[in-house]
Amino acid sequence: MAINSRMAMLLALAGGAAIGAAFVLRQRNDRLHVEKRQHKTTLQAWEGEGGSLAAPAAAPRNA
């Protein structure tokens, strides 16, 4: 059974789209990992300067 040229073109297009999507997802994951690591470093530096996280607002008492 021979694959005609249209089927071959569709398979090539689908394969290229899958490879492109995998590449984009990998780049996004790497970027998010770098941003998370940078945020953690910045937060640790800020806490080392004496900063502290804001205390949660006190909930009103129900009497």
Side-chain angles (χ1 to χ4, degrees):
M1 180 164 116
I3 297 177
N4 62 20
S5 61
R6 287 185 182 179
M7 184 62 78
M9 184 61 104
L10 287 174
L11 289 174
L13 183 63
I19 291 171
F23 178 76
V24 168
L25 289 174
R26 176 67 186 253
Q27 292 294 321
R28 180 179 177 266
N29 189 27
D30 290 346
R31 181 179 48 84
L32 290 176
H33 182 68
V34 168
E35 288 177 359
K36 184 177 179 181
R37 189 175 347 127
Q38 183 179 8
H39 176 71
K40 184 177 179 181
T41 303
T42 304
L43 181 61
Q44 288 174 346
W46 177 72
E47 288 176 340
E49 293 174 355
S52 61
L53 298 176
R61 291 186 173 188
N62 294 333

